[in-house]
Amino acid sequence: MAFDVCSFVKNLEPIDLERKIPKSEYESRIKTLQEILNNRGFDVGIAFGNELRPGDTGWLTGYDPQIEPTAAVIGKNGIFVLGGPEGEAYAKETMMAGTFINVLEFKIPEEDYPGYEFMPLNKILFEAAGIEPKKIGILTLPSILPLEIFQLLKEIPNTEIIDASEILLDCRYQKSPQELEMMSIAARISTYAMKAMIAAIRPGLRELEVAACADYVMKAMGADRVGISTIVCSGWRAPNVIGRASNKIIEEGDMIDLTVSARYDGLASCMGRTVIAGKAHPDQLEFIDIAIKAYEKGIEAISYSKPASEVDRIVRSILDPQGLSPLYSLVHGIGWTEAMEGKGAATQHSTWNFPKGIAFMLDLGIFGRSFKSLDKNHVGLRIENPFIIDHEGNTKCLTVDLPLYCETGKIY
């Protein structure tokens, strides 16, 4: 019988969609950042965000841009949200802090907007700082800030431009109780979406048909949008680490990588599983079982004040001797930007200990490795769950009642 995604959603426990990060928290973040900038001698700071990397500006203002980029300029006189005419209404609808200003460099290229006035960036910096700024802090990583914006800043006379991106990296890394709650809601939605995909899978479906079930569930349950495009990679596509779902037909015995990432109130909680379409081969089950046992040992190593490097080291100590070395390190950041938080990743060489009040993924990825009768060109495995260490130092997995391995065609 075909999976009925609409009936599936109707039977889910509803989510309180009124739960949001309060405006007061954004106001507190801005005040904290103003104090940090002042203490470090900055007249003004500027953060940049776009649809792919909205973390810095989203954390400051609550505005998650679409198509047009945005920036946040902050000084002692307040915070200004920069954008273009097409994003103005949406920005004003969703932003929790700041004053919106149209800026020429943030409009959609080659478009004309008769009747609109655009404020020069140097004037906005003056308004925020209250003086002609002499020291400007770039609050976003240099790899994200567009060259055009950097050049505009450099053209301001008698001004020192300084990379201060570590300020927001530190601020965003430490999650508030409200942020952790939003991530918990996102994880619940991601869990529902993953369950829907697992229940829907059967040989003969296209990968995109399976992904559509997850996407429907996420939107139906209240996700703002997805952190990443839903991943369904089956058979010869299984070694594709971050490939989107395609029109490939799922075949009997295919190993399938599944990944979903719901965003709620700006924060994402990703989740990954590996399943077998139809009847699994014994070697596939043994391979997955080995990976699960290693993953569970990694979970045991997650604890407040323990070395972050132990997670990766322990898992690799189990998998490496069997020729199943993970492709990447197991701990990476999560929150405002999927897998690209800029801080919080841990490798076997990391020298820091887990603090309180953080969120991260435990993400085991084994791709393109042969195992017994399994052809490496058809092997891809991801087991991924969102975790937090709360403000009391307790480690919690945010995934809601979903085994690390599931049989397809069943509702969990």
Side-chain angles (χ1 to χ4, degrees):
M1 180 181 295
F3 174 66
D4 185 346
V5 69
C6 294
S7 296
F8 176 81
V9 167
K10 288 180 181 178
N11 290 322
L12 293 175
E13 184 179 347
I15 291 171
D16 181 4
L17 301 179
E18 296 300 315
R19 301 297 300 166
K20 302 285 184 180
I21 296 174
K23 185 179 180 67
S24 59
E25 180 161 323
Y26 288 94
E27 293 170 344
S28 177
R29 293 172 187 173
I30 291 167
K31 182 178 179 181
T32 297
L33 185 56
Q34 286 172 323
E35 292 174 353
I36 294 172
L37 290 171
N38 180 64
N39 291 338
R40 293 185 51 172
F42 289 105
D43 298 311
V44 68
I46 181 169
F48 179 84
N50 56 29
E51 195 166 353
L52 178 63
R53 303 289 288 273
D56 290 340
T57 50
W59 185 84
L60 278 168
T61 71
Y63 174 40
D64 179 2
Q66 176 158 274
I67 302 177
E68 288 181 350
T70 187
V73 173
I74 183 169
K76 68 177 182 180
N77 287 346
I79 186 167
F80 297 90
V81 180
L82 283 51
E86 296 191 36
E88 180 175 357
Y90 185 50
K92 289 180 176 179
E93 173 193 340
T94 58
M95 54 194 262
M96 301 293 285
T99 300
F100 185 87
I101 300 176
N102 278 299
V103 178
L104 189 65
E105 290 75 19
F106 288 82
K107 74 176 184 66
I108 294 176
E110 300 182 353
E111 291 289 349
D112 179 35
Y113 302 95
Y116 274 86
E117 293 184 1
F118 297 92
M119 185 179 290
L121 182 57
N122 63 338
K123 185 176 180 181
I124 298 171
L125 294 169
F126 176 84
E127 292 289 332
I131 59 172
E132 293 290 348
K134 301 300 181 185
K135 188 176 179 181
I136 300 175
I138 305 296
L139 300 172
T140 292
L141 289 168
S143 60
I144 303 174
L145 187 74
L147 178 61
E148 180 182 23
I149 304 303
F150 182 71
Q151 289 177 331
L152 282 175
L153 295 171
K154 285 187 66 176
E155 290 171 4
I156 301 174
N158 304 314
T159 300
E160 185 180 8
I161 311 297
I162 297 174
D163 178 3
S165 55
E166 79 283 353
I167 293 175
L168 278 187
L169 290 180
D170 289 341
C171 289
R172 285 173 48 201
Y173 181 53
Q174 297 291 332
K175 302 291 191 296
S176 70
Q178 290 77 19
E179 286 176 293
L180 296 181
E181 181 186 1
M182 297 307 106
M183 295 190 68
S184 179
I185 294 173
R188 189 172 164 194
I189 297 172
S190 290
T191 304
Y192 288 159
M194 181 62 73
K195 289 183 176 183
M197 286 200 294
I198 291 168
I201 289 173
R202 68 181 189 276
L205 284 182
R206 292 178 294 116
E207 292 175 348
L208 279 165
E209 290 181 278
V210 174
C213 292
D215 293 348
Y216 177 86
V217 169
M218 285 189 281
K219 291 296 180 69
M221 297 308 294
D224 303 329
R225 63 178 175 100
V226 296
I228 57 169
S229 296
T230 301
I231 294 173
V232 181
C233 290
S234 63
W236 59 265
R237 296 193 72 238
N240 197 333
V241 182
I242 53 175
R244 298 181 181 92
S246 76
N247 280 310
K248 177 191 173 298
I249 302 295
I250 295 172
E251 299 178 29
E252 178 76 25
D254 273 355
M255 182 174 286
I256 311 173
D257 298 331
L258 304 172
T259 306
V260 293
S261 178
R263 286 168 63 96
Y264 182 80
D265 202 24
L267 289 127
S269 285
C270 198
M271 190 173 304
R273 290 292 186 273
T274 296
V275 297
I276 308 299
K279 184 175 176 57
H281 188 280
D283 290 348
Q284 290 175 322
L285 293 177
E286 184 179 353
F287 168 65
I288 293 172
D289 184 61
I290 291 170
I292 286 174
K293 288 178 178 177
Y295 189 89
E296 290 173 337
K297 289 296 182 181
I299 293 174
E300 293 175 7
I302 300 170
S303 182
Y304 166 61
S305 80
K306 279 190 176 181
S309 61
E310 285 297 287
V311 178
D312 206 75
R313 188 191 63 78
I314 288 172
V315 173
R316 288 182 184 277
S317 71
I318 297 171
L319 295 175
D320 288 356
Q322 303 194 57
L324 299 177
S325 299
L327 176 66
Y328 44 77
S329 53
L330 277 83
V331 175
H332 68 74
I334 192 70
W336 291 90
T337 311
E338 167 60 35
M340 307 287 276
E341 286 293 272
K343 183 171 181 175
T347 75
Q348 57 188 317
H349 309 295
S350 296
T351 57
W352 52 276
N353 297 340
F354 284 116
K356 298 177 182 178
I358 61 169
F360 54 92
M361 307 302 302
L362 184 57
D363 178 5
L364 172 59
I366 305 172
F367 298 90
R369 305 286 187 184
S370 59
F371 179 79
K372 293 191 172 180
S373 68
L374 305 185
D375 179 357
K376 68 178 182 180
N377 295 316
H378 287 73
V379 170
L381 175 140
R382 175 180 285 114
I383 303 172
E384 183 175 21
N385 287 303
F387 284 81
I388 65 170
I389 298 177
D390 66 19
H391 289 261
E392 286 70 48
N394 302 307
T395 301
K396 297 179 181 179
C397 177
L398 299 183
T399 301
V400 183
D401 189 26
L402 184 66
L404 296 179
Y405 176 71
C406 303
E407 295 181 16
T408 57
K410 294 175 61 176
I411 294 178
Y412 285 83

